[in-house]
């Protein structure tokens, strides 16, 4: 059933006849009369008793009147919801990432987005490394992903955010015997605390030290790893901004050569939601070499 025919029908009921209804709809009387006859023909019923001066609803007409008003109300509610999302006064954006970026840059991106759009919900989904992020995007489980840009993402649209520097955080007693910055080759002799269950992290450590033989604690919980470093159990490689904000009373050393990885947003092809477009804009406006912008 065409929505405009439903609208015309309700107008005729409300105005008690074709003439006033046509005036309210800004269409001609013959056009409105034809529209009502078309509706009756499609439904196979007579909607109005036309024997008197005022059109009266038949039994079928009264049944349709209830349904028609419900249809129009549902359409208006749907329009309002769409408008709210387009104007970003409601809605949700789903972002997938993994532990390497769960604090930097996710926390700052979400904070900035929420400052601009306080009525839009952000859902941060955990992916199992870069492969998990790309898989979640392809399956439609999220619109955006935060990922290491050196990973092959050629099938997706991407927005560079910046370069994330990785540093060594270690207890002062371990730092005393090391130069500053610390040569990458020296990592082989340092007891490390890392999450080897994170495939991307495990691959990074294996590349840095030629394996994982000196990983003395394999810990999947970042907060526990940081606490272990602060209590002198070993060292860890992590983003500089995370080290500076989350670890206390430890030494933070750059590596030589400097170790960085490019970070960016990846997005499914095709039109995204207004909320996703706004999130991308926030990311573009807050690019740094940190990666996180500092106030």
């Amino acid at each position: 059933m065409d929505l405009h025919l439903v609208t015309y029908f309700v107008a005729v009921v409300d105005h008690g006849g074709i003439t006033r209804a046509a005036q309210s709809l800004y269409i001609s009387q013959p056009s409105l009369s034809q529209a009502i006859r078309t509706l009756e023909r499609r439904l196979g019923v007579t909607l109005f008793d036309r024997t008197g001066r005022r059109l009266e609803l038949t039994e079928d007409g009264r049944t349709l009147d209830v349904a028609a008003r419900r249809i129009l109300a549902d359409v208006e509610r749907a329009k309002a919801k769409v408008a709210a999302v387009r104007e970003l006064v409601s809605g949700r954006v789903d972002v997938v990432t993994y532990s390497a970026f769960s604090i930097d840059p996710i926390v700052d991106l979400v904070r900035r987005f929420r400052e601009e759009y306080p009525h839009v919900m952000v859902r941060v989904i955990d992916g199992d490394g870069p492969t998990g992020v790309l898989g979640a995007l392809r399956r439609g489980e999220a619109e955006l992903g935060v990922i290491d840009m050196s990973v092959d993402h050629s099938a997706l649209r991407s927005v560079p955010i910046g370069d994330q520097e990785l540093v060594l955080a270690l207890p002062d007693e371990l730092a005393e015997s090391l130069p500053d910055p610390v040569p990458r080759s020296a990592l082989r002799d340092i007891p490390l605390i890392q999450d080897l269950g994170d495939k991307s992290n495990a691959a990074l450590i294996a590349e840095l030290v030629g394996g994982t033989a000196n990983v003395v604690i394999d810990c999947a919980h970042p907060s526990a790893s940081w606490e272990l470093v602060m209590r002198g159990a070993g060292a860890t490689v992590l983003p500089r901004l995370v080290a500076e904000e989350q670890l206390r009373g430890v030494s933070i050393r750059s590596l030589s050569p400097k170790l960085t990885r490019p970070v960016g947003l990846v997005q499914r092809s095709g039109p995204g939601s207004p909320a996703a477009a706004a999130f991308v804009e926030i990311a573009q406006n807050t690019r740094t070499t940190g990666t996180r912008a500092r106030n």
Side-chain angles (χ1 to χ4, degrees):
M1 187 189 306
D2 291 343
L3 188 60
H4 75 278
L5 294 180
V6 177
T7 303
Y8 291 172
F9 168 75
V10 171
V12 172
V13 174
D14 288 343
H15 291 279
I18 296 292
T19 301
R20 290 182 179 178
Q23 291 172 349
S24 70
L25 294 168
Y26 300 101
I27 62 174
S28 66
Q29 287 182 246
S31 295
L32 182 55
S33 295
Q34 181 60 45
I36 297 300
R37 286 194 293 270
T38 297
L39 180 59
E40 289 179 320
R41 185 172 63 254
R42 291 183 181 179
L43 295 176
V45 298
T46 299
L47 298 173
F48 293 99
D49 181 353
R50 296 174 171 82
T51 57
R53 294 183 62 183
R54 179 182 175 88
L55 293 182
E56 298 290 341
L57 287 170
T58 63
E59 186 64 31
D60 289 326
R62 284 191 288 273
T63 300
L64 178 62
D65 186 39
V66 174
R69 294 181 189 278
R70 185 181 303 119
I71 290 170
L72 293 178
D74 288 343
V75 169
E76 288 304 312
R77 281 193 290 270
K79 286 181 179 178
K81 288 182 179 179
V82 170
V85 171
R86 289 188 183 278
E87 296 167 8
L88 293 179
V89 295
S90 70
R92 188 182 79 188
V93 59
D94 298 330
V95 184
V96 59
T97 191
Y98 47 104
S99 60
F101 307 117
S102 60
I103 293 181
D104 174 36
I106 278 291
V107 169
D108 198 60
L109 288 176
V110 171
R111 178 185 65 81
R112 290 175 180 273
F113 180 83
R114 291 281 303 150
E115 286 177 351
E116 290 287 335
Y117 307 104
H119 302 294
V120 179
M121 177 183 176
V122 180
R123 187 167 73 117
V124 180
I125 305 168
D126 181 39
D128 184 15
T131 302
V133 169
L134 299 176
L137 292 173
R138 294 190 185 102
R139 292 189 299 271
E141 296 171 1
E143 281 194 272
L144 301 171
V146 177
I147 197 171
D148 182 338
M149 296 292 279
S150 63
V151 174
D152 181 19
H153 58 278
S154 55
L156 302 171
R157 289 183 290 170
S158 62
V159 177
I161 297 176
D163 292 323
Q164 183 187 66
E165 182 187 6
L166 299 174
V167 298
L168 183 67
L170 67 171
D172 290 341
E173 55 268 28
L174 283 177
E176 288 177 355
S177 60
L178 292 172
D180 187 7
V182 177
R184 294 188 188 183
S185 59
L187 290 177
R188 296 185 178 92
D189 301 319
I190 299 173
L192 294 177
I193 303 168
Q194 301 291 156
D195 177 12
L196 298 182
D198 181 334
K199 296 176 182 177
S200 63
N201 187 60
L204 172 68
I205 297 303
E207 180 181 352
L208 281 174
V209 300
T212 58
N214 62 320
V215 175
V216 296
I217 301 176
D218 177 9
C219 183
H221 302 283
S223 58
S225 296
W226 304 335
E227 188 67 29
L228 285 165
V229 174
M230 289 186 288
R231 290 176 180 266
T236 190
V237 177
L238 75 172
R240 174 177 289 280
L241 293 176
V242 177
E244 291 176 348
E245 294 188 6
Q246 301 297 327
L247 279 73
R248 305 174 308 278
V250 301
S251 296
I252 299 173
R253 299 282 182 85
S254 295
L255 296 174
S256 179
K258 189 175 181 179
L259 180 61
T260 63
R261 57 187 169 195
V263 185
L265 285 178
V266 286
Q267 185 176 15
R268 292 179 297 172
S269 58
S273 70
F279 198 94
V280 170
E281 184 178 4
I282 292 291
Q284 290 175 318
N285 291 339
T286 56
R287 288 186 196 177
T288 77
T289 57
T291 59
R292 187 158 31 173
R294 300 171 186 261
N295 291 328

